Amino acid sequence: MTSEWRTRDGRIGVLTGAGISTDSGIPDFRGPRGVWTKDPIAELLSTYDNYLADPELRRRAWLARRDNPAWQARPNAAHIALAELAQAGRAVTIITQNIDRLHQRAGFPEDRVIEIHGNMFEVVCVECAYRTTMSATLERVAAGEADPPCPDCGGVLKSATVMFGQQMDRRTMMKAALTAQTSDIFLAIGSSLQVEPAASMCAVAVENGADLVIVNNEATPYDSMATEIVREPIGTAVPRLVGEILGD
Ligand SMILES: [Zn+2]
């Protein structure tokens, strides 16, 4: 039977994608009702070279950041269940493709969330080490700076997210790979597992002896490696699985 993974001791790695946040009102970017599907300009705003080259795109990007529905989003039952797993004392680390910080806002320990695509709550300069909050920068936009430059060097500012065409942070990816390698149970939740290198974390985990459990409403390229595949909606599946792991 496949249910035995639930009682395994040891480390739990969790990979989360957009599907865990749709119940919080944050649209999936690539799905049929996704942001990029409905508005191709939105994808341009997230492409690094275009963003650097075109001040008009940057002005639109700041307005899109201001209007992002994620600011109003709240953690849902799945985020809360994963936080309870950590609070119950299990050694659990989350690798997330999401930039919405809903895991941390649900109470999951911040130092055990690895944000491989960065987050939307901070702003960085592309030229120097300047870093600040998104809220402070959006105040500059509201005060009339349509494309606010870096106050230290005059360079282009952007959200602290990984755009298309931009390298992922090497240290962050090493931490994610180490998490996959050392997991005994590896849960992949709400990710189509089609974007590398996040997707291959599943293979790394399995090759190092983990039980892979995939919670996603559609088939993924890693289904054949999985100990268990769950098609139930994430909002009920994750609380149920966490309860089973904790033996409730
Ligand atoms: Zn700068």
Side-chain angles (χ1 to χ4, degrees):
M1 273 304 292
T2 58
S3 64
E4 286 161 15
W5 65 267
R6 290 169 172 76
T7 54
R8 265 186 94 166
D9 288 330
R11 294 176 181 275
I12 302 172
V14 185
L15 173 68
T16 62
I20 197 169
S21 292
T22 49
D23 277 357
S24 295
I26 298 175
D28 185 345
F29 281 95
R30 293 175 191 277
R33 291 186 297 138
V35 172
W36 292 330
T37 314
K38 287 194 297 191
D39 179 7
I41 294 286
E43 185 160 3
L44 267 182
L45 300 183
S46 304
T47 304
Y48 191 57
D49 288 345
N50 294 319
Y51 184 85
L52 288 187
D54 187 348
E56 178 55 28
L57 267 188
R58 291 200 295 276
R59 284 192 277 275
R60 294 182 67 152
W62 288 111
L63 297 180
R65 289 169 186 139
R66 180 194 66 188
D67 298 338
N68 195 317
W71 301 121
Q72 278 82 43
R74 294 180 158 211
N76 63 55
H79 298 109
I80 292 165
L82 291 173
E84 286 167 356
L85 192 57
Q87 286 153 8
R90 287 301 297 259
V92 49
T93 300
I94 293 177
I95 303 164
T96 188
Q97 297 173 283
N98 300 336
I99 60 172
D100 54 36
R101 292 230 152 142
L102 287 175
H103 290 300
Q104 295 94 323
R105 287 148 86 187
F108 197 94
E110 296 207 4
D111 59 350
R112 285 195 270 149
V113 182
I114 302 169
E115 297 171 312
I116 59 176
H117 292 166
N119 76 80
M120 56 184 273
F121 287 75
E122 290 170 294
V123 163
V124 293
C125 174
V126 303
E127 301 287 349
C128 76
Y130 180 78
R131 201 172 181 99
T132 187
T133 62
M134 179 62 76
S135 59
T137 310
L138 288 177
E139 279 173 22
R140 292 178 60 189
V141 175
E145 292 183 84
D147 176 28
C150 173
D152 286 355
C153 78
V156 168
L157 295 181
K158 65 182 283 295
S159 67
T161 54
V162 179
M163 290 180 163
F164 291 112
Q166 211 185 354
Q167 291 283 337
M168 293 178 138
D169 180 69
R170 214 170 134 262
R171 277 193 56 182
T172 304
M173 291 315 300
M174 284 173 63
K175 281 166 70 179
L178 188 65
T179 296
Q181 279 167 16
T182 56
S183 291
D184 299 287
I185 301 169
F186 197 76
L187 307 173
I189 303 169
S191 172
S192 61
L193 302 180
Q194 285 171 6
V195 180
E196 293 299 343
S200 55
M201 299 288 166
C202 294
V204 170
V206 169
E207 282 159 13
N208 287 277
D211 278 304
L212 171 65
V213 178
I214 296 176
V215 185
N216 198 50
N217 58 8
E218 289 170 358
T220 81
Y222 292 88
D223 285 3
S224 63
M225 287 188 186
T227 303
E228 188 168 329
I229 297 166
V230 180
R231 296 275 184 251
E232 179 188 346
I234 291 168
T236 54
V238 174
R240 177 177 62 77
L241 291 172
V242 166
E244 290 164 4
I245 291 168
L246 293 176
D248 293 349

